[in-house]
Amino acid sequence: MSVGQRGRPDKKTIGWRGWYVLGFLSVYLYMLTERYQTPKETAFSKWKFCVCRSLRVRKCTFYERRKGTFSHKGIVRLFMEILKVENLCKVYGRGENQVKALDHVSFSVQKGEFVAIIGPSGSGKSTLLHILGGVDRPTGGKVFVDGSDVYARGDEQLAIFRRRQVGLIYQFYNLIPVLDVVENITLPVLMDGRKVNEERLRELLETLKLTGREHHLPNQLSGGQQQRVSIGRALMNAPAIVLADEPTGNLDSKNSKEIVDLLELSNRKYRQTLIVITHDENIALQADRILAIEDGRIIRDEVMRK
């Protein structure tokens, strides 16, 4: 700080815009770190309302309108929510042949959550998974991934969404027969015209125990190894969500356990959001949460662990 002609420090301010930004950030950070259970109506609570409005949230879940207070948990939900489904419907056929595969399904998934979806055959599980992954368009309702409306996109943008934001794991692996292990794993990156992250590739090969088999073709691998390649392909792009459709349905008990352990490891190690359709009780019991579907509706939503 310099000294003026009269021996007083020069007043150098950052301007009203600077103070406004600093004030906004300090209040916002305070909101994130403090728990407001029953705060009194003060000038400070009005500041919080201004922050809420300035964020332009469509539904301000952390502002309790009746009390004029803020919920700390609501803030966490808002910023941790990776997937949100609203009144999702899917109808096949018309007239007497009409089949309602999904009937106003609504739920949300937090970032890093491991969710198992269970239900009898024909209950709508696979239909739900395909719609979440951008493979099949819904008849009605909305799907938001990372705050973005998936089906507001055109077909070309939807294809880009599938490559970058979603990792799909199928029961029958769906590997390209003429491509080796590394080529199958890196296929989504190469199709997107981007450079392969060699460090991530090496880490995935080690984690999936595929080191030494980098140049093997699918027909030179066991069923369990092929499913590991499928998992690597799903994780290579570090997607927002990984969707797995009966990933152990075509494997014996030993390989099934290995795949379950790898899925759980990907959830813990990479904080990967994981949604798995399964009839396998072992997978369901290791999930953070279980959604049960019947006749196209969610009949149970049970938290297994926090």
Side-chain angles (χ1 to χ4, degrees):
M1 184 178 295
S2 62
V3 179
Q5 293 180 350
R6 297 184 181 180
R8 295 179 182 178
D10 287 339
K11 293 182 179 179
K12 292 186 178 180
T13 65
I14 59 176
W16 68 269
R17 289 186 182 85
W19 286 114
Y20 178 82
V21 170
L22 286 175
F24 179 91
L25 289 174
S26 62
V27 171
Y28 178 59
L29 290 172
Y30 192 66
M31 286 164 53
L32 288 175
T33 55
E34 292 294 324
R35 293 177 181 268
Y36 289 95
Q37 301 297 334
T38 55
K40 297 180 180 179
E41 281 292 338
T42 61
F44 187 66
S45 67
K46 292 179 182 179
W47 256 97
K48 290 185 289 183
F49 177 67
C50 292
V51 172
C52 175
R53 291 191 64 180
S54 65
L55 289 174
R56 296 186 180 181
V57 181
R58 183 168 51 86
K59 288 185 178 179
C60 196
T61 55
F62 53 88
Y63 181 70
E64 300 172 11
R65 297 182 186 280
R66 288 183 299 173
K67 297 180 182 179
T69 62
F70 279 72
S71 165
H72 174 81
K73 292 181 179 179
I75 296 173
V76 173
R77 280 198 303 272
L78 176 68
F79 289 95
M80 294 298 289
E81 193 174 77
I82 194 73
L83 171 69
K84 186 172 184 178
V85 177
E86 293 182 346
N87 295 314
L88 203 61
C89 297
K90 182 64 179 180
V91 177
Y92 295 103
R94 295 179 180 179
E96 295 180 357
N97 298 322
Q98 188 178 91
V99 176
K100 191 174 284 187
L102 294 175
D103 188 5
H104 295 90
V105 171
S106 297
F107 66 94
S108 62
V109 175
Q110 309 304 311
K111 184 174 176 59
E113 197 171 15
F114 180 1
V115 179
I117 300 177
I118 62 173
S121 298
S123 59
K125 303 186 304 296
S126 293
T127 300
L128 175 61
L129 197 79
H130 291 155
I131 292 176
L132 296 182
V135 176
D136 191 11
R137 288 184 179 271
T139 306
K142 292 182 180 294
V143 177
F144 296 92
V145 173
D146 234 354
S148 176
D149 187 347
V150 173
Y151 291 101
R153 297 172 168 87
D155 290 342
E156 186 176 342
Q157 289 299 314
L158 197 58
I160 294 173
F161 163 78
R162 287 193 296 267
R163 288 200 300 267
R164 296 181 181 177
Q165 296 286 79
V166 179
L168 287 167
I169 303 170
Y170 294 100
Q171 179 178 347
F172 296 103
Y173 327 133
N174 286 12
L175 302 179
I176 307 299
V178 296
L179 300 183
D180 63 25
V181 169
V182 169
E183 290 168 337
N184 267 289
I185 289 177
T186 58
L187 186 61
V189 182
L190 297 174
M191 287 182 66
D192 210 24
R194 292 185 291 155
K195 187 178 179 180
V196 173
N197 185 333
E198 296 292 340
E199 183 179 350
R200 183 172 179 82
L201 176 60
R202 283 195 301 271
E203 186 179 1
L204 282 173
L205 288 170
E206 291 176 5
T207 301
L208 297 169
K209 300 178 182 178
L210 290 169
T211 305
R213 295 181 173 84
E214 292 90 341
H215 302 296
H216 284 53
L217 297 174
N219 62 9
Q220 296 173 312
L221 303 172
S222 68
Q225 289 169 343
Q226 288 186 64
Q227 191 60 294
R228 290 182 209 169
V229 176
S230 178
I231 292 172
R233 180 180 58 191
L235 295 174
M236 187 63 208
N237 260 342
I241 53 175
V242 168
L243 306 173
D245 191 357
E246 295 286 0
T248 61
N250 201 35
L251 302 173
D252 58 31
S253 57
K254 180 184 177 182
N255 281 309
S256 293
K257 185 180 184 305
E258 289 181 357
I259 294 303
V260 171
D261 290 343
L262 283 172
L263 289 173
E264 190 177 22
L265 178 63
S266 73
N267 174 248
R268 292 197 317 268
K269 184 174 183 178
Y270 300 111
R271 192 165 168 71
Q272 182 65 66
T273 306
L274 187 61
I275 302 175
V276 181
I277 284 179
T278 184
H279 286 103
D280 190 330
E281 184 180 353
N282 292 324
I283 291 183
L285 291 176
Q286 291 190 51
D288 300 323
R289 182 170 154 215
I290 296 177
L291 296 178
I293 294 185
E294 190 173 304
D295 297 326
R297 294 188 175 190
I298 294 178
I299 59 171
R300 181 163 60 94
D301 186 347
E302 182 178 358
V303 176
M304 304 301 291
R305 65 184 81 176
K306 294 184 179 180

